[in-house]
Amino acid sequence: MGKVRKTKPSRVRRSEPVDNTSDEEEQLPVDSKENALQTILDQLQAADVEEKYCGLQTLALMIENPENVPQVMARGLVKAAAPLLLDQASSVRNATAGTLRNLSTVAMDVCDAMMEQDIMTPVTCFFHEHAESWVPDPGSKTKDEDIDTFIQCVNLLLNLCESSDLAIKYLGQSRILDILPRYLDLGTFNSDIAIAVLQCLFVVVEDNPTAMSKIKTNAERQLETLLRLEGNDPTVLLLKTLSAGVIINTCGNKTTLPPGVISEIVSILGTTLSVDHRLICSQLSSSVPLSDDSGKVEPPKGKAAQQLESQLKSVLEILTAQQSAIEIIANICSCEDNDEPLGNDSSESDDGEEDICENGDESVLAEDKLPPEVMEALISLEVFEKVWARTQLPAQNVLLILKEYEGSQLIYKRLLTLQTRALLCINNLLSTIPIENIGGVNGVYKIWVDVGKLVFKQDTDNVNLSESATAVMRAALDKIKFRENGNTSDSSVFSDLALSDIEIMLNGIKVCQVPEIRANLIRMIGILALLLVNNLNDVTSNVIVVITEFILEQAHKENEVWVLAEAVDTLVDLYSEDETDILAAKVNLVEKLTSLAPIFKNKIRQQKRLPKEYKVLVSTASSNLPRFIKYKKDRLSRL
């Protein structure tokens, strides 16, 4: 059956907004918004430095509200502001870089709109004119400002390239990738600069042959030096982890790296993930000032303020390093042919055959796709356990404290992102690590139950969390189903599963508004029913009937043709077993699928523009359905 591929862990390295507004410029004009936009435009085009700076500050304040962004883009303010990256005044360059970087974090489509307003031309010119030979001048009054401007521009470049293939193309045609490696020299530049550059390279090099070649030529020595830094303080761990990611992405193929390098990289990732993120966040919450009865917070001053700032930075660096480590591991463990670039998930799929990757004429288990030294390192360093630990958030009171204090809100957001990325990584690890090395059937079943609590027993509006969690639940059942090359005889772990537990899942599907999550859940309950087929009794038969009737009902209501195809595919998989003939007759499966077939065909005609992987799923389900109906009808006629 055709399957939907696993979603490759999307990058959540998009640099967060920075506060570059000053106290004096925090009031918007009293005029209407339209007049305010015109005023900003006039100020940006003025000759006076103060006028330009004031316009940038007002623009920065305006885009803090995402609702204002469409009007900002429509008035062409990016096209007016971006050339100020090349302004002679350091303060103007800094304000421009910070404002544009903040704007690029709003949404992917905003980056596309920025590209339409020719943002890449001044960004490229900034690096060509200001970065090719620049070294921070210790005696300069604007040293810190200039360093911040460079970092903001690097982060802006990262966001644009992460969102736009056109930005990647322009990057390859520029000299930027020849310039950036010089900033990895910690003897000349500080760690903040090196970290920003590494984060950018981590994104732009992946699946980009032009960038791979340039970085391999220009940065190989610097990356190896950073990889072997001594010490395990947060900054060093982040530098080493990002360097490991760039090295892997630069090579593009894990089999071309010497075994010793692969083992060294996995060891670094394991060390990064060994830091107890819950503990350091709990310790940080003890240092964060709390609000008084009136809701006011008295921020620390003097030495206490410096200590808190240092602690905040260290915790953020650890969480960033762990997120990067998890993304690297997820890409290492993606199911792919060895001759494809690392991170290419075009051969991935999500169930049934998902543990099997096609390689020419052979079908190879995903567990056998990793080089032995990589598998050995992952198992010996207990990487699965360490990634799983990242799916667990700190205590609720700790989260509330971090969320309420302005200085730690970014850490709160990073914790949620880390949890989501860890779940996506677990999804890949489940397909890769042999089941005996992750606790056997009982261990995987416990993962399924624990993740289910995130999806069904907590009120959450975090769509990314729900999607990644349901993907893990689906992968966990696949792991149980296809262990030992397809032996599904033991479903005893589900013997205590009550119909009420199933109903919670079914209700979750009914109210779900996200197609990807619906598809995961439909496939998951179908796999669950298939597991129960091997242990048929009155209770399990009743559960299978309830699941079947629910999927059929949902299929008739489903608007997305590819989700409907997933439902059809699930039912075909479930009832392909001959042991299900009696149950098929009980639910009138053939008649109901026969009535569903024309609805399915009609939706296929209506929804022709689909991503490639969905087209494969729809096509396969469409061709299988009539054959299956004919086959099952023949079998049921003999009952």
Side-chain angles (χ1 to χ4, degrees):
M1 299 300 162
K3 307 293 187 275
V4 179
R5 66 177 180 177
K6 285 189 282 288
T7 302
K8 176 180 165 184
S10 58
R11 302 297 183 192
V12 185
R13 290 190 296 273
R14 297 178 61 76
S15 46
E16 291 81 3
V18 292
D19 181 10
N20 66 342
T21 59
S22 64
D23 291 338
E24 292 127 27
E25 310 292 347
E26 287 192 353
Q27 296 299 320
L28 275 172
V30 183
D31 315 308
S32 69
K33 191 180 294 184
E34 186 63 31
N35 288 339
L37 290 169
Q38 184 59 49
T39 299
I40 293 172
L41 189 59
D42 293 341
Q43 290 175 322
L44 295 178
Q45 296 171 338
D48 183 69
V49 170
E50 290 301 322
E51 281 285 298
K52 288 182 283 191
Y53 186 78
C54 181
L56 289 164
Q57 292 296 312
T58 308
L59 177 59
L61 182 64
M62 180 169 282
I63 64 174
E64 284 184 6
N65 183 353
E67 293 180 2
N68 294 330
V69 171
Q71 290 170 280
V72 166
M73 302 307 300
R75 288 302 303 268
L77 291 182
V78 169
K79 194 173 186 66
L84 298 180
L85 287 172
L86 309 174
D87 197 88
Q88 291 185 346
S90 173
S91 60
V92 172
R93 294 197 303 272
N94 183 247
T96 304
T99 300
L100 293 176
R101 180 260 186 108
N102 284 357
L103 184 61
S104 70
T105 65
V106 173
M108 293 283 192
D109 58 352
V110 172
C111 287
D112 292 336
M114 294 174 77
M115 289 296 298
E116 292 174 3
Q117 296 191 28
D118 197 28
I119 181 71
M120 278 299 289
T121 296
V123 169
T124 301
C125 289
F126 170 85
F127 285 101
H128 288 176
E129 296 181 16
H130 286 274
E132 195 156 18
S133 59
W134 172 71
V135 175
D137 180 4
S140 171
K141 294 181 180 179
T142 62
K143 174 195 168 188
D144 292 341
E145 195 170 56
D146 292 337
I147 289 174
D148 184 66
T149 300
F150 176 80
I151 291 174
Q152 303 304 340
C153 284
V154 172
N155 284 323
L156 171 60
L157 178 66
L158 181 162
N159 292 343
L160 293 171
C161 289
E162 196 169 35
S163 303
S164 169
D165 290 337
L166 186 59
I168 290 285
K169 179 182 177 182
Y170 286 155
L171 177 69
Q173 295 171 348
S174 72
R175 299 196 311 275
I176 294 175
L177 292 177
D178 300 306
I179 295 169
L180 289 182
R182 67 186 292 267
Y183 290 92
L184 301 179
D185 179 7
L186 294 181
T188 305
F189 303 97
N190 66 30
S191 59
D192 290 339
I193 290 176
I195 287 168
V197 170
L198 286 169
Q199 287 176 317
C200 184
L201 295 180
F202 191 18
V203 171
V204 303
V205 168
E206 187 177 14
D207 298 338
N208 184 343
T210 301
M212 289 178 187
S213 177
K214 285 191 175 185
I215 296 306
K216 191 170 181 61
T217 300
N218 298 324
E220 191 169 29
R221 179 185 57 80
Q222 297 97 314
L223 290 169
E224 289 177 356
T225 299
L226 292 173
L227 194 68
R228 294 173 174 85
L229 287 173
E230 295 185 1
N232 287 324
D233 66 75
T235 301
V236 170
L237 284 179
L238 180 53
L239 286 165
K240 291 166 72 171
T241 301
L242 290 170
S243 299
V246 176
I247 288 171
I248 286 182
N249 285 352
T250 299
C251 289
N253 188 327
K254 49 183 170 275
T255 61
T256 65
L257 285 170
V261 174
I262 280 284
S263 298
E264 182 180 11
I265 285 174
V266 177
S267 177
I268 288 170
L269 303 180
T271 300
T272 296
L273 292 173
S274 294
V275 179
D276 189 336
H277 70 302
R278 300 176 72 191
L279 176 61
I280 62 173
C281 287
S282 178
Q283 292 170 339
L284 173 62
S285 69
S286 300
S287 305
V288 167
L290 304 178
S291 57
D292 57 24
D293 294 337
S294 63
K296 293 183 179 180
V297 177
E298 186 66 33
K301 298 178 181 178
K303 187 176 181 180
Q306 294 177 350
Q307 290 175 340
L308 177 58
E309 188 63 31
S310 175
Q311 192 175 3
L312 287 166
K313 182 181 179 183
S314 293
V315 171
L316 187 58
E317 285 181 334
I318 287 293
L319 296 180
T320 303
Q322 293 191 342
Q323 180 181 317
S324 300
I326 282 169
E327 290 174 345
I328 296 167
I329 293 166
N331 282 348
I332 288 176
C333 294
S334 62
C335 180
E336 61 194 22
D337 287 340
N338 286 336
D339 60 350
E340 290 181 351
L342 187 64
N344 184 332
D345 60 353
S346 61
S347 64
E348 290 186 29
S349 55
D350 260 320
D351 38 57
E353 295 87 332
E354 87 171 351
D355 274 354
I356 300 176
C357 298
E358 298 300 326
N359 186 10
D361 294 326
E362 300 178 4
S363 291
V364 183
L365 287 175
E367 295 175 4
D368 298 328
K369 295 291 288 185
L370 281 182
E373 62 273 8
V374 177
M375 181 67 78
E376 181 182 347
L378 291 173
I379 293 171
S380 63
L381 294 168
E382 299 180 331
V383 168
F384 185 92
E385 291 78 5
K386 290 173 181 175
V387 175
W388 175 252
R390 305 285 86 72
T391 68
Q392 310 303 306
L393 294 173
Q396 193 64 30
N397 65 312
V398 172
L399 291 174
L400 287 173
I401 292 171
L402 297 179
K403 184 179 181 180
E404 287 180 0
Y405 180 58
E406 184 177 1
S408 57
Q409 286 173 354
L410 181 55
I411 288 173
Y412 170 78
K413 293 178 183 177
R414 186 58 55 87
L415 280 167
L416 299 184
T417 300
L418 182 66
Q419 181 187 39
T420 300
R421 296 295 154 249
L423 286 166
L424 286 170
C425 186
I426 289 293
N427 184 41
N428 281 14
L429 285 166
L430 280 169
S431 298
T432 306
I433 306 294
I435 196 168
E436 59 268 19
N437 296 112
I438 48 180
V441 170
N442 289 329
V444 176
Y445 174 71
K446 186 177 186 303
I447 289 171
W448 183 75
V449 172
D450 289 346
V451 176
K453 293 175 183 176
L454 286 176
V455 180
F456 299 110
K457 299 196 175 176
Q458 292 183 13
D459 292 329
T460 177
D461 55 1
N462 188 334
V463 172
N464 291 330
L465 175 64
S466 296
E467 185 174 348
S468 57
T470 52
V472 171
M473 295 184 73
R474 176 175 174 168
L477 290 186
D478 274 330
K479 191 71 174 181
I480 295 172
K481 175 184 173 186
F482 285 92
R483 78 192 191 286
E484 298 177 1
N485 293 325
N487 176 13
T488 62
S489 60
D490 181 9
S491 58
S492 60
V493 290
F494 298 99
S495 58
D496 294 331
L497 197 65
L499 191 57
S500 59
D501 295 320
I502 300 295
E503 288 171 346
I504 292 175
M505 299 180 202
L506 304 187
N507 289 332
I509 300 173
K510 284 180 181 178
V511 300
C512 179
Q513 300 296 313
V514 183
E516 290 78 10
I517 299 175
R518 287 202 305 276
N520 279 338
L521 291 173
I522 287 171
R523 175 62 69 176
M524 182 192 70
I525 62 173
I527 299 170
L528 179 59
L530 183 57
L531 286 166
L532 296 177
V533 166
N534 297 290
N535 186 26
L536 284 176
N537 54 46
D538 290 344
V539 174
T540 56
S541 295
N542 188 31
V543 170
I544 295 170
V545 167
V546 170
I547 289 175
T548 302
E549 291 178 339
F550 176 82
I551 294 177
L552 285 166
E553 181 185 349
Q554 285 297 117
H556 279 85
K557 296 177 180 177
E558 181 57 55
N559 291 322
E560 298 289 340
V561 67
W562 69 269
V563 181
L564 174 53
E566 189 78 80
V568 168
D569 200 28
T570 299
L571 291 170
V572 171
D573 276 355
L574 173 58
Y575 284 93
S576 293
E577 303 291 331
D578 292 343
E579 295 88 345
T580 62
D581 288 348
I582 294 176
L583 290 176
K586 185 175 181 179
V587 298
N588 296 319
L589 181 69
V590 170
E591 292 83 352
K592 291 178 179 178
L593 286 179
T594 300
S595 69
L596 180 63
I599 298 174
F600 187 23
K601 283 187 178 181
N602 188 46
K603 288 189 182 297
I604 293 174
R605 286 193 294 268
Q606 293 173 347
Q607 301 178 35
K608 293 182 178 180
R609 302 186 66 177
L610 293 170
K612 181 180 178 181
E613 64 273 20
Y614 292 164
K615 283 184 178 179
V616 172
L617 171 64
V618 171
S619 175
T620 305
S622 177
S623 62
N624 283 343
L625 181 57
R627 293 199 297 264
F628 173 76
I629 291 174
K630 181 179 178 181
Y631 162 76
K632 206 66 175 177
K633 184 176 183 180
D634 179 61
R635 286 196 58 85
L636 296 187
S637 67
R638 304 176 197 171
L639 290 178

